[in-house]
Amino acid sequence: MPIDGKIEELAQLALSCIDREHPYYLGLELHSETDLKLPRQLTPVFRGAFDWHSAVHCHWTLVRALRMGVEEQLADRCRAALNTSLNEQDIEQEARFVDDRPGFEIPYGRAWLLQLCTELKETRDPLAENLVPLEKRARQDLLGWCSRLVHPIRSGQHDQSMFSLGLFHDWAVSNQDEECVETVGSISRRHHGEDRHLPCQFEPSNHDFLSPSLATADLMRRVLSRDEFGAWITQAHPEVAAGKWPSFIAHCPDPSDGKLSHLDGLNLSRGWMLDAIADGLGEYPPGIETMAREHEVAGFAGIHPEHYSGSHWLASFAMYLMTKRWKLTELS
């Protein structure tokens, strides 16, 4: 049964996943036999919700729910889960783990970690201080990734460069980190400044949860002025500028399949990216607002709590969309 799309439901869904240790997908480069340990031993904070980045998603979802406001009993449950999980000792173990693996969860998972740090800082939550060791390493390792990012990665999954660069940029703006803002801006202009007629006709691939063409526009609206962005999208993505794409909703044929459930996430991310692009332009191109809302409805309808393949992460995408997290806030 799909959920109704309320913040309380999304928080409860994240709570149901955050400590669930099995099934779990561990993507790990083994340096020796001693690396063969359970996730709770290797990464004790982000040990649940099927994989590391999805556990980060769940933590972010709880923090965001608290920021948006939920009823007292649910807020107490969210707060208790976060206080238990984000303790200094376990975070120190997480930090030691990534010290030996600078490429771990780069770029997607670490970019989401910075979103979690941003949410805690913007709400002046003392738990933000506990995460500083991981935050510093994520910044360092993402900058290292940026230095080697010679070409864009135009996929629709975790390795896509545009989406993670966008999250990295938002963290940098919120934290007033000029070096990182400039790094992301420089890469974005170099990779995409001359894009023409992005091949949206080839989307989506069957396992996409991000649109390569919309994510490119979503990145560029962050780094260009409104006038520059309007000129850019007219050449790079004329179909969106004319209100002619996307022209259909993605359909997931089997929500119990982990890869196919990505398509439900695609509807959610398309929804918020269309809103963010319109915000960057100062207006919705004809028909785009209607299409954004249709994607939103379809995305929420695709969240099935009984299918863990999607429920362990889709709540975060839904929360990102409905609370407009793509709007920037600078720390004062």
Side-chain angles (χ1 to χ4, degrees):
M1 175 74 70
I3 66 173
D4 292 331
K6 299 176 181 176
I7 287 177
E8 289 77 10
E9 284 185 301
L10 300 178
Q12 289 168 349
L13 192 54
L15 281 169
S16 73
C17 299
I18 197 169
D19 286 324
R20 180 171 171 176
E21 296 190 47
H22 300 100
Y24 193 91
Y25 176 80
L26 181 61
L28 179 63
E29 178 181 308
L30 299 179
H31 295 169
S32 70
E33 292 182 2
T34 61
D35 288 338
L36 290 172
K37 298 177 182 177
L38 292 171
R40 77 171 78 100
Q41 299 168 300
L42 298 169
T43 57
V45 177
F46 305 115
R47 68 188 185 281
F50 189 71
D51 51 29
W52 193 90
H53 57 260
S54 298
V56 175
H57 280 256
C58 286
H59 284 77
W60 176 85
T61 301
L62 298 185
V63 178
R64 187 69 176 170
L66 288 170
R67 184 175 188 177
M68 294 295 103
V70 293
E71 57 90 16
E72 185 176 357
Q73 186 176 11
L74 180 57
D76 288 344
R77 290 177 60 205
C78 293
R79 172 57 57 192
L82 291 167
N83 284 338
T84 298
S85 185
L86 300 178
N87 67 82
E88 292 184 70
Q89 181 178 351
D90 285 345
I91 288 172
E92 286 175 0
Q93 168 56 28
E94 293 263 355
R96 287 192 293 270
F97 181 81
V98 297
D99 276 345
D100 292 335
R101 299 168 180 84
F104 179 73
E105 289 283 353
I106 292 289
Y108 182 84
R110 301 283 203 99
W112 266 105
L113 175 77
L114 293 183
Q115 282 292 295
L116 171 60
C117 295
T118 295
E119 210 68 53
L120 289 167
K121 285 184 176 182
E122 289 181 357
T123 54
R124 305 189 188 284
D125 191 310
L127 288 174
E129 189 63 28
N130 289 2
L131 274 169
V132 167
L134 276 180
E135 182 181 32
K136 288 182 176 178
R137 286 162 174 80
R139 178 190 186 276
Q140 172 184 304
D141 292 340
L142 282 167
L143 281 175
W145 170 72
C146 286
S147 72
R148 301 185 297 275
L149 194 63
V150 179
H151 305 288
I153 303 171
R154 300 181 189 266
S155 79
Q157 298 191 64
H158 307 86
D159 61 344
Q160 185 194 108
S161 56
M162 297 83 76
F163 177 68
S164 291
L165 284 171
L167 293 187
F168 192 21
H169 173 271
D170 291 352
W171 171 86
V173 169
S174 180
N175 286 269
Q176 300 174 41
D177 187 323
E178 294 183 7
E179 179 186 0
C180 292
V181 170
E182 174 56 34
T183 296
V184 173
S186 176
I187 290 173
S188 302
R189 291 180 176 86
R190 186 174 75 248
H191 283 180
H192 305 292
E194 300 303 318
D195 278 356
R196 298 291 183 270
H197 293 277
L198 291 167
C200 57
Q201 70 271 22
F202 296 136
E203 298 184 32
S205 293
N206 212 39
H207 296 163
D208 283 358
F209 61 90
L210 299 167
S211 161
S213 56
L214 289 183
T216 303
D218 192 30
L219 174 63
M220 295 304 283
R221 59 97 185 166
R222 289 168 159 101
V223 303
L224 300 177
S225 69
R226 177 161 291 176
D227 288 344
E228 288 174 327
F229 182 56
W232 177 88
I233 200 168
T234 299
Q235 298 183 76
H237 211 327
E239 293 85 357
V240 166
K244 296 180 179 179
W245 195 89
S247 58
F248 65 91
I249 306 297
H251 171 67
C252 171
D254 182 3
S256 69
D257 184 292
K259 284 292 189 180
L260 295 177
S261 70
H262 280 183
L263 292 169
D264 291 316
L266 176 65
N267 285 327
L268 294 167
S269 65
R270 275 181 170 183
W272 87 58
M273 288 181 186
L274 290 170
D275 284 340
I277 290 165
D279 186 74
L281 292 170
E283 62 180 355
Y284 281 94
I288 290 298
E289 185 172 15
T290 297
M291 185 56 66
R293 299 290 74 78
E294 290 178 357
H295 276 86
E296 179 179 345
V297 170
F300 275 102
I303 303 175
H304 302 272
E306 68 272 25
H307 294 306
Y308 191 58
S309 55
S311 67
H312 70 275
W313 66 278
L314 285 170
S316 61
F317 269 45
M319 183 74 79
Y320 193 95
L321 183 155
M322 71 183 300
T323 65
K324 300 185 185 299
R325 176 61 260 196
W326 47 267
K327 287 185 174 289
L328 298 181
T329 304
E330 286 194 13
L331 294 173
S332 59

